[in-house]
Amino acid sequence: MTAVLTEKSGAVRPPVRPGGPQPPARRRTGRERAFDDVPRWQIYLPLGLYLLFTLIPFYWMLLFALRPAGSTALVPWPMTGEHFAKVWNERSFAVFFQNSMIVGVATLIATTLVALAGGYALARFDFRIKGAFMLALLCSQFIPGALMLVPLFEIFRNLQMINSLWSVVIAETVFQLPLSIILISGFIKNVPVSLEEAAWVDGCSRFTAFRAVVLPLLRPGLIAVGSFAFVHSWNHFLFALMFLSEQDKQTIPVGLNTLIGADSVDLGALAAGGVIAAVPVVIVFAFIQKWLVTGFSAGAVKG
């Protein structure tokens, strides 16, 4: 039977036989002991209260959307779909939904492509104003979109793009790009440049090496940036309100605003419209939550 050497001395100790004395367990750190000694109710109680506080507004919205008009029951029974049919057919929510989907998908594609090119340039090339450019990207995050409404409106009016969905797509893309470029740049820096160099040695061009080697490794970052751009453009109200005046061009946030009258509010229709607006966002986050956390954390670790 072979003997096992200890780490710091030349003494030998026999290997542990099944059923024999076991080696001493690893000593836990102070942080591990502190966490293990905390009663579980002190962890689950605050989390449960936070979850309850978060879910009550959603339940209240579903309650008004599913219960019949005039009902005051706290449980939506019997359920009805009259409010959904009303907003979808009578209040043109089918058109609003289609417009929001066009704006969201177009913003996702444009933001991802431009941020990918800009992030690669910042991560792989050195140029004289690189530091100043990064500082400008960071400072641009402090500028609220409301301050840019008047100049953007004048630009789109001169370009004859008012009442065009592309005006909203361009505005949303411009305001999403600084953060997206920074995240993509940090994510590309985590990919060793030696992988691209090996592809160059094999005869690949820079673009081919990027597409074949780097791009597959950027999937979490691209999903994070694209989903963030889609959700922001889907929920954004201000640009659509200012640049789109015709009803057949409006998006869901503006459509929800039309349900609020000067003298009365149809709570059932408003709640049904809110549910319709929330469903795509919930579906997006349900399918990409793993990639979203991985992408944002990886893009922010190394800059």
Side-chain angles (χ1 to χ4, degrees):
M1 187 70 67
T2 58
V4 180
L5 295 178
T6 59
E7 293 182 358
K8 295 185 178 180
S9 65
V12 297
R13 60 180 176 85
V16 179
R17 294 186 176 89
Q22 301 295 324
R26 182 181 65 87
R27 299 184 61 181
R28 297 181 301 170
T29 63
R31 181 176 298 178
E32 292 174 342
R33 289 196 301 270
F35 180 79
D36 292 338
D37 294 340
V38 174
R40 286 295 177 260
W41 68 268
Q42 294 186 11
I43 299 175
Y44 294 134
L45 181 60
L47 292 177
L49 292 176
Y50 176 75
L51 183 63
L52 184 65
F53 178 78
T54 305
L55 293 181
I56 282 180
F58 290 96
Y59 176 77
W60 206 250
M61 182 172 63
L62 286 172
L63 179 65
F64 278 92
L66 294 176
R67 73 183 183 183
S71 174
T72 58
L74 297 179
V75 178
W77 191 262
M79 295 184 182
T80 179
E82 60 179 348
H83 301 303
F84 291 96
K86 180 178 181 180
V87 297
W88 191 261
N89 298 321
E90 299 179 12
R91 297 301 183 95
S92 302
F93 257 69
V95 177
F96 300 156
F97 188 91
Q98 179 182 354
N99 294 337
S100 292
M101 190 63 66
I102 293 174
V103 170
V105 173
T107 303
L108 183 154
I109 296 174
T111 302
T112 303
L113 292 178
V114 178
L116 188 60
Y120 184 84
L122 290 177
R124 291 291 191 254
F125 297 102
D126 291 325
F127 45 92
R128 184 171 299 177
I129 61 171
K130 181 177 179 179
F133 184 74
M134 289 290 293
L135 181 61
L137 289 179
L138 293 173
C139 292
S140 66
Q141 298 301 296
F142 298 99
I143 302 176
L147 294 179
M148 304 300 295
L149 283 177
V150 174
L152 284 176
F153 186 87
E154 288 296 320
I155 292 173
F156 291 140
R157 184 175 63 84
N158 293 332
L159 295 176
Q160 298 182 355
M161 295 183 64
I162 298 298
N163 287 325
S164 173
L165 294 178
W166 291 109
S167 62
V168 181
V169 172
I170 293 174
E172 294 288 352
T173 301
V174 168
F175 277 88
Q176 292 297 314
L177 276 179
L179 180 60
S180 301
I181 291 176
I182 293 172
L183 289 174
I184 292 294
S185 173
F187 201 84
I188 293 177
K189 287 180 180 180
N190 290 331
V191 179
V193 69
S194 58
L195 297 178
E196 290 184 85
E197 293 174 347
W200 299 342
V201 172
D202 291 338
C204 295
S205 63
R206 180 179 290 273
F207 178 78
T208 304
F210 172 77
R211 178 177 55 84
V213 178
V214 180
L215 191 59
L217 301 177
L218 300 181
R219 184 183 302 174
L222 295 178
I223 293 176
V225 168
S227 61
F228 187 75
F230 175 83
V231 172
H232 186 272
S233 62
W234 180 274
N235 294 326
H236 204 187
F237 170 76
L238 199 56
F239 289 154
L241 178 66
M242 289 297 297
F243 303 147
L244 305 174
S245 58
E246 297 178 0
Q247 185 175 0
D248 60 344
K249 298 291 185 180
Q250 292 173 349
T251 58
I252 280 185
V254 182
L256 287 173
N257 186 60
T258 61
L259 298 178
I260 303 176
D263 301 323
S264 62
V265 179
D266 190 345
L267 294 179
L270 187 62
V275 172
I276 294 174
V279 166
V281 178
V282 172
I283 293 176
V284 168
F285 277 105
F287 280 99
I288 67 169
Q289 56 181 342
K290 178 181 69 174
W291 301 103
L292 189 65
V293 174
T294 304
F296 275 123
S297 59
V301 169
K302 187 176 180 181

